[in-house]
PDB file of all heavy atoms in Angstrom:
ATOM      1  N   ALA A  16     109.587 127.244  77.373  1.00  0.00           N
ATOM      2  CA  ALA A  16     110.950 126.851  77.757  1.00  0.00           C
ATOM      3  C   ALA A  16     111.278 125.451  77.251  1.00  0.00           C
ATOM      4  O   ALA A  16     112.389 125.193  76.784  1.00  0.00           O
ATOM      5  CB  ALA A  16     111.092 126.923  79.287  1.00  0.00           C
ATOM      6  N   VAL A  35     116.951 123.174  60.792  1.00  0.00           N
ATOM      7  CA  VAL A  35     115.949 122.806  61.795  1.00  0.00           C
ATOM      8  C   VAL A  35     114.934 123.945  61.898  1.00  0.00           C
ATOM      9  O   VAL A  35     115.315 125.104  62.042  1.00  0.00           O
ATOM     10  CB  VAL A  35     116.597 122.575  63.178  1.00  0.00           C
ATOM     11  CG1 VAL A  35     115.522 122.158  64.195  1.00  0.00           C
ATOM     12  CG2 VAL A  35     117.674 121.495  63.085  1.00  0.00           C
ATOM     13  N   LEU A  38     107.542 124.125  62.967  1.00  0.00           N
ATOM     14  CA  LEU A  38     106.412 124.390  62.076  1.00  0.00           C
ATOM     15  C   LEU A  38     105.246 125.005  62.829  1.00  0.00           C
ATOM     16  O   LEU A  38     104.411 125.700  62.254  1.00  0.00           O
ATOM     17  CB  LEU A  38     105.968 123.091  61.391  1.00  0.00           C
ATOM     18  CG  LEU A  38     107.008 122.400  60.503  1.00  0.00           C
ATOM     19  CD1 LEU A  38     106.410 121.154  59.871  1.00  0.00           C
ATOM     20  CD2 LEU A  38     107.512 123.358  59.434  1.00  0.00           C
ATOM     21  N   GLU A  65     116.757 109.329  70.552  1.00  0.00           N
ATOM     22  CA  GLU A  65     117.602 109.127  71.733  1.00  0.00           C
ATOM     23  C   GLU A  65     117.785 110.444  72.502  1.00  0.00           C
ATOM     24  O   GLU A  65     117.691 110.477  73.734  1.00  0.00           O
ATOM     25  CB  GLU A  65     118.963 108.579  71.308  1.00  0.00           C
ATOM     26  CG  GLU A  65     119.884 108.287  72.484  1.00  0.00           C
ATOM     27  CD  GLU A  65     121.235 107.727  72.059  1.00  0.00           C
ATOM     28  OE1 GLU A  65     121.456 107.569  70.835  1.00  0.00           O
ATOM     29  OE2 GLU A  65     122.062 107.457  72.946  1.00  0.00           O
ATOM     30  N   ASP A  92     109.927 110.368  46.830  1.00  0.00           N
ATOM     31  CA  ASP A  92     108.648 110.589  47.512  1.00  0.00           C
ATOM     32  C   ASP A  92     107.975 111.902  47.126  1.00  0.00           C
ATOM     33  O   ASP A  92     106.795 112.080  47.391  1.00  0.00           O
ATOM     34  CB  ASP A  92     108.861 110.591  49.033  1.00  0.00           C
ATOM     35  CG  ASP A  92     109.373 109.258  49.549  1.00  0.00           C
ATOM     36  OD1 ASP A  92     109.087 108.237  48.915  1.00  0.00           O
ATOM     37  OD2 ASP A  92     110.079 109.254  50.578  1.00  0.00           O
ATOM     38  N   PHE A 118     110.110 105.818  64.323  1.00  0.00           N
ATOM     39  CA  PHE A 118     110.159 106.570  63.067  1.00  0.00           C
ATOM     40  C   PHE A 118     109.584 105.715  61.948  1.00  0.00           C
ATOM     41  O   PHE A 118     109.593 104.482  62.015  1.00  0.00           O
ATOM     42  CB  PHE A 118     111.596 107.008  62.728  1.00  0.00           C
ATOM     43  CG  PHE A 118     112.538 105.860  62.475  1.00  0.00           C
ATOM     44  CD1 PHE A 118     112.678 105.319  61.206  1.00  0.00           C
ATOM     45  CD2 PHE A 118     113.292 105.324  63.510  1.00  0.00           C
ATOM     46  CE1 PHE A 118     113.527 104.259  60.966  1.00  0.00           C
ATOM     47  CE2 PHE A 118     114.152 104.263  63.288  1.00  0.00           C
ATOM     48  CZ  PHE A 118     114.268 103.725  62.013  1.00  0.00           C
ATOM     49  N   PRO A 197      79.917 108.924  72.927  1.00  0.00           N
ATOM     50  CA  PRO A 197      78.519 108.523  72.715  1.00  0.00           C
ATOM     51  C   PRO A 197      78.394 107.051  72.339  1.00  0.00           C
ATOM     52  O   PRO A 197      77.422 106.391  72.739  1.00  0.00           O
ATOM     53  CB  PRO A 197      78.050 109.433  71.583  1.00  0.00           C
ATOM     54  CG  PRO A 197      79.296 109.921  70.910  1.00  0.00           C
ATOM     55  CD  PRO A 197      80.327 109.989  71.990  1.00  0.00           C
ATOM     56  N   SER A 294     102.020  98.853  90.546  1.00  0.00           N
ATOM     57  CA  SER A 294     101.789 100.041  91.375  1.00  0.00           C
ATOM     58  C   SER A 294     100.312 100.410  91.389  1.00  0.00           C
ATOM     59  O   SER A 294      99.804 100.919  92.386  1.00  0.00           O
ATOM     60  CB  SER A 294     102.629 101.217  90.862  1.00  0.00           C
ATOM     61  OG  SER A 294     102.183 101.654  89.603  1.00  0.00           O
ATOM     62  N   GLY A 329      99.887  84.088  92.092  1.00  0.00           N
ATOM     63  CA  GLY A 329     100.271  84.241  93.488  1.00  0.00           C
ATOM     64  C   GLY A 329      99.987  85.640  93.998  1.00  0.00           C
ATOM     65  O   GLY A 329      99.504  85.821  95.125  1.00  0.00           O
TER      66      GLY A 329
END
Side-chain angles (χ1 to χ4, degrees):
V35 181
L38 298 182
E65 182 179 0
D92 298 332
F118 64 88
S294 67

